[in-house]
Amino acid sequence: MQSATAKWYDRRDSVFIEFCVEDSKDVKVNFDKSKIDFSCVGGTDNIKHQNVLDLFEEIDPKESKHRRTDRSVLCCLRKAEAGKSWPRLTKDKAKFNWLSVDFNNWKDWEDDSDEDLSSFDKFSEMMNSMGGDDLPDLDGADEERESADSDDEKMPDLE
């Protein structure tokens, strides 16, 4: 059994962890107050993955959720104490080679005023709709992808 590659980011009332396992099957996510246990079988080789994390702070296991897509399993951990920043995901300061910060979704929310709709609410809406495999736009993370590249212009004809 090996650890699944994972990315995480922090929000005011939630912490998001994305376990990057394509074509996952038998997904099991157990939320505990201070721990998360993730396991699945993934990929074309049916490799067994398991990650057990002792979390930096406590979460609300009943309000925490997960969602499987074809490319990953996204977990939304509801913080027990909202408004408290997590400088790291794990209780230990040890570095894990399979865990990294998701800088595409990272946001310094401590300096911002209250968000109009929290990421957890967006995640909940997405969980309720369950229509397709599209994840919600979490705080404009995809804005840079929508801009046209300068190399998208038509090339002049060769002479």
Side-chain angles (χ1 to χ4, degrees):
M1 208 171 299
Q2 69 182 44
S3 298
T5 302
K7 301 182 291 187
W8 78 282
Y9 60 99
D10 184 32
R11 287 292 192 266
R12 185 176 313 280
D13 55 0
S14 305
V15 173
F16 291 84
I17 308 171
E18 182 177 15
F19 293 98
C20 305
V21 180
E22 291 188 16
D23 301 323
S24 58
K25 298 178 276 251
D26 303 327
V27 175
K28 292 183 184 87
V29 182
N30 295 316
F31 300 108
D32 190 35
K33 277 188 166 189
S34 59
K35 185 163 96 172
I36 179 174
D37 186 352
F38 168 81
S39 64
C40 73
V41 176
T44 55
D45 299 335
N46 290 324
I47 298 171
K48 291 181 181 179
H49 298 278
Q50 182 170 19
N51 300 62
V52 179
L53 291 162
D54 291 318
L55 300 170
F56 179 75
E57 291 283 341
E58 289 190 354
I59 61 168
D60 184 348
K62 292 178 182 165
E63 291 293 320
S64 299
K65 302 177 182 184
H66 76 279
R67 178 171 183 233
R68 183 204 160 279
T69 67
D70 289 340
R71 297 178 121 324
S72 64
V73 178
L74 180 63
C75 300
C76 179
L77 312 176
R78 184 68 170 231
K79 292 180 181 179
E81 190 177 334
K84 189 172 182 183
S85 169
W86 288 23
R88 61 184 180 276
L89 181 62
T90 59
K91 185 173 277 307
D92 296 331
K93 288 187 177 182
K95 302 269 185 193
F96 298 97
N97 62 353
W98 53 266
L99 181 63
S100 64
V101 174
D102 186 352
F103 287 108
N104 290 332
N105 288 309
W106 192 268
K107 181 179 178 184
D108 280 335
W109 54 264
E110 292 172 312
D111 300 332
D112 293 344
S113 60
D114 286 341
E115 299 171 17
D116 54 329
L117 184 62
S118 72
S119 298
F120 187 82
D121 292 335
K122 289 180 183 179
F123 185 81
S124 295
E125 285 177 10
M126 175 193 66
M127 293 293 290
N128 291 336
S129 68
M130 294 299 277
D133 287 334
D134 294 328
L135 293 177
D137 178 20
L138 299 174
D139 300 325
D142 293 332
E143 287 174 6
E144 58 198 50
R145 291 188 198 129
E146 294 175 4
S147 64
D149 290 337
S150 61
D151 60 350
D152 287 348
E153 297 169 7
K154 188 174 187 272
M155 295 290 292
D157 293 333
L158 296 175
E159 294 180 17

